């Protein structure tokens, strides 16, 4: 943060670092709500061990992390009980800094009174904090996502696209953010929700940016193949998001559905669920073409609800980004109801998870019911954000008038 007298951000980082080194239960690292098969710290450590001993970690069905992480953490940044807390604290700090920078770029100010609040809302958000304390690599994904958005807001197209390409290497569903980020790179991040207007920049300017993004993705893909020596990693990492081979329980909506699915229908519904994610891109980008930063925010919310292997950090990122758009607060329809649903779900998720997997007094239906409540809370927040973004264009109503939704 700017200003030598501002100790709020360093204090937040210090508190976060103290928590990272605190003697927390090891069960956090194995909690299905905090890490998925694609982001698990224990699986990452096992893959690194196999890689360092000359065994291909992708030859089995356990390791599903990107080869980029495999190479990074086996050479430059070895994971130890001392380096891991430092690394994940640094990742969260950079993500919080990027979120504050996005707010400043949106307002056009170098420093605002809300900076500390925005940083605190990210660093102290329990949906963000707990997965980070479990050393889930979803924290790294959140950092790359916020960096890509922040750099796009600054007009640093190449750096933004490289950050997005790196994010896609870790999480294939993040490719949904490519369209709004490409458009954001050729527009401005200032708030235009109250004054919607057609997109003014020529769309042909996105063509070289799209080719540059493809180049970065190809470069990182080639680098990943060099690390592994084969293409098996594609099936184990990117393929996992499309075929859902590991049905380990998580806070998402996919795992239980495909646990009960007959194999005969599995391919069809995998296609339906995957295409369902794609159909949101064009409508949101068209409807919010006057504010591409807000369109990006909404697609982050779509990923938080419908991602194949989510953790709590996915909706945590979406909810934290609400702080960047205070102009929509007066137009949220049911904020109290949405907050209460999230509170209810945050109590049900660990309770039913414990009843099922630890005490053995429940079953999978218990935990899936809590994930449905959680999904409803995330969906309610997303719908509220869409409504408020559209409602802001109308402004304050005159007496005797009301807004009707048809």
């Amino acid at each position: 943060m700017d200003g030598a007298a501002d100790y709020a951000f360093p204090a937040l980082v210090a508190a976060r670092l103290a928590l990272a080194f605190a003697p927390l239960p090891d069960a956090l690292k194995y909690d299905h709500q905090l890490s998925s098969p694609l982001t698990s710290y224990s699986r990452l450590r096992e893959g690194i061990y196999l890689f360092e001993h000359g065994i291909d970690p992708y030859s089995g069905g356990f390791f599903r992390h990107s080869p980029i992480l495999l190479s990074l953490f086996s050479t430059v940044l070895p994971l130890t009980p001392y380096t891991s807390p430092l690394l994940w604290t640094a990742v969260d700090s950079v993500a919080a800094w990027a979120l504050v920078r996005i707010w400043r770029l949106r307002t056009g100010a170098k420093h605002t009174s809300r900076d500390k609040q925005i940083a605190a809302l990210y660093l102290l958000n329990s949906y963000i904090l707990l997965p980070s304390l479990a050393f889930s690599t979803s924290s790294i994904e959140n950092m790359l996502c916020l960096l890509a958005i922040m750099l796009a807001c600054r007009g640093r197209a190449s750096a933004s696209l490289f950050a997005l390409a790196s994010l896609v290497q870790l999480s294939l569903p993040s490719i949904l953010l490519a369209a709004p980020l490409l458009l954001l790179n050729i527009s401005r991040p200032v708030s235009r929700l109250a004054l919607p207007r057609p997109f003014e920049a020529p769309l042909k300017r996105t063509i070289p940016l799209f080719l540059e993004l493809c180049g970065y993705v190809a470069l990182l893909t080639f680098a990943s193949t060099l690390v592994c020596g084969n293409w098996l990693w594609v099936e184990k990492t990117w393929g996992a998001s499309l075929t859902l081979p590991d049905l380990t329980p998580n806070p998402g909506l996919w795992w239980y559905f495909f646990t009960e699915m007959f194999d005969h229908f599995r391919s069809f519904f995998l296609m339906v669920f995957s295409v369902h994610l794609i159909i949101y891109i064009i409508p949101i980008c068209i409807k919010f073409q006057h504010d591409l930063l807000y369109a990006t925010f909404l697609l982050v919310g779509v990923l938080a609800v419908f991602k194949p292997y989510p953790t709590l950090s996915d909706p945590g990122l979406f909810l934290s980004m609400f702080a960047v758009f205070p102009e929509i607060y007066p137009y949220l329809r049911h904020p109290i109801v949405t907050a209460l649903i999230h509170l209810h779900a945050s109590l049900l998720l660990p309770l039913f998870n414990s009843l099922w997997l630890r005490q053995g007094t429940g079953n999978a239906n218990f935990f899936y019911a809590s994930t449905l409540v959680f999904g409803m809370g995330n969906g309610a927040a997303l719908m509220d954000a869409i409504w408020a973004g559209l409602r802001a264009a109308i402004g304050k109503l005159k007496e005797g008038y009301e807004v009707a939704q048809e």
Side-chain angles (χ1 to χ4, degrees), residues 23-24 65 80-81 89 91 110 115 155 160 172 179 184 201 213 216 231 241 270 309 313 348 354 361 375:
L24 298 172
H65 290 76
T80 70
T89 299
V91 164
K110 292 184 178 180
D115 292 353
S160 172
L172 183 63
L184 183 58
L213 174 62
Y216 289 140
W231 290 90
S241 297
L270 281 171
Y309 286 102
S313 64
L348 288 181
S354 177
T361 56

Side-chain angles (χ1 to χ4, degrees), residues 244 247-261 273 276-277 280 301-311 349 367-379:
L244 210 75
L247 295 175
T248 301
N250 58 64
L253 303 175
W254 289 45
W255 68 273
Y256 187 81
F257 187 85
F258 285 96
T259 298
E260 302 295 327
M261 176 65 60
F273 274 54
H276 172 252
L277 276 169
Y280 293 99
V302 170
L303 283 174
V305 179
F306 299 114
K307 196 174 180 180
Y309 286 102
T311 65
L349 280 170
F367 184 66
Y368 189 61
S370 64
T371 64
L372 289 178
V373 176
F374 187 58
M376 185 171 65
N378 294 328

Side-chain angles (χ1 to χ4, degrees), residues 30-337:
Y30 304 98
D31 196 303
H32 300 141
Q33 305 160 80
L34 308 181
S35 59
S36 71
L38 277 63
T39 64
S40 170
Y41 180 75
S42 59
R43 296 192 183 209
L44 177 61
R45 290 292 300 272
E46 180 167 339
I48 293 172
Y49 177 84
L50 294 173
F51 183 71
E52 291 176 342
H53 286 76
I55 303 173
D56 185 0
Y58 298 103
S59 59
F62 190 77
F63 185 73
R64 300 191 180 277
H65 290 76
S66 168
I68 299 296
L69 295 181
L70 186 66
S71 176
L72 179 66
F73 293 135
S74 62
T75 55
V76 182
L77 295 171
L79 298 179
T80 70
Y82 301 102
T83 59
S84 295
L86 288 171
L87 177 61
W88 261 261
T89 299
V91 164
D92 280 356
S93 301
V94 171
W97 170 81
L99 187 61
V100 172
R101 289 287 297 170
I102 292 170
W103 160 249
R104 291 179 180 177
L105 291 165
R106 186 166 177 84
T107 59
K110 292 184 178 180
H111 186 74
T112 71
S113 59
R114 283 176 54 85
D115 292 353
K116 297 184 290 295
Q117 301 172 22
I118 293 173
L121 283 173
Y122 185 87
L123 290 173
L124 302 181
N125 184 337
S126 58
Y127 288 167
I128 297 290
L129 178 62
L130 291 176
S132 185
L133 293 178
F135 302 144
S136 170
T137 57
S138 57
S139 300
I140 301 176
E141 295 172 11
N142 284 354
M143 179 194 69
L144 289 172
C145 180
L146 289 173
L147 283 176
I149 297 172
M150 184 269 288
L151 292 166
C153 292
R154 294 185 63 186
R156 304 287 182 86
S158 295
S160 172
L161 296 178
F162 185 78
L164 177 60
S166 302
L167 176 60
V168 171
Q169 284 290 316
L170 304 187
S171 175
L172 183 63
S174 300
I175 196 66
L176 266 68
L177 304 178
L181 283 177
L182 287 171
L183 296 171
L184 183 58
N185 271 292
I186 61 173
S187 61
R188 299 181 61 197
V190 296
S191 177
R192 290 177 177 167
L193 293 175
L195 296 170
R197 64 186 69 176
F199 189 72
E200 298 174 351
L203 291 178
K204 63 182 180 181
R205 289 177 55 190
T206 62
I207 296 177
L209 296 179
F210 175 72
L211 295 176
E212 185 177 358
L213 174 62
C214 292
Y216 289 140
V217 172
L219 177 64
L220 291 174
T221 301
F222 178 69
S224 298
T225 306
L226 285 180
V227 170
C228 298
N230 55 56
W231 290 90
L232 189 60
W233 68 271
V234 176
E235 176 192 350
K236 300 298 183 180
T237 57
W238 287 350
S241 297
L242 299 174
T243 59
L244 210 75
D246 193 321
L247 295 175
T248 301
N250 58 64
L253 303 175
W254 289 45
W255 68 273
Y256 187 81
F257 187 85
F258 285 96
T259 298
E260 302 295 327
M261 176 65 60
F262 290 111
D263 289 341
H264 180 72
F265 301 105
R266 183 179 173 86
S267 298
F268 172 75
F269 280 100
L270 281 171
M271 181 271 294
V272 171
F273 274 54
S274 299
V275 172
H276 172 252
L277 276 169
I278 300 173
I279 63 174
Y280 293 99
I281 302 174
I282 294 178
I284 288 178
C285 288
I286 291 177
K287 194 63 180 178
F288 292 95
Q289 59 184 292
H290 51 282
D291 197 330
L292 271 306
L293 178 57
Y294 198 77
T296 306
F297 161 65
L298 293 178
L299 285 174
V300 169
V302 170
L303 283 174
V305 179
F306 299 114
K307 196 174 180 180
Y309 286 102
T311 65
L312 293 183
S313 64
D314 294 295
L317 174 61
F318 174 61
L319 296 175
S320 296
M321 289 185 70
F322 264 97
V324 181
F325 308 98
E327 65 270 31
I328 69 171
Y329 294 171
Y331 307 112
L332 295 172
R333 299 191 74 182
H334 310 293
I336 296 178
V337 174

Side-chain angles (χ1 to χ4, degrees), residues 255-256 352-353 355-357 360-370:
W255 68 273
Y256 187 81
F352 285 173
N353 181 71
L355 286 176
W356 174 31
L357 297 177
T361 56
N363 55 44
N365 294 324
F366 282 55
F367 184 66
Y368 189 61
S370 64

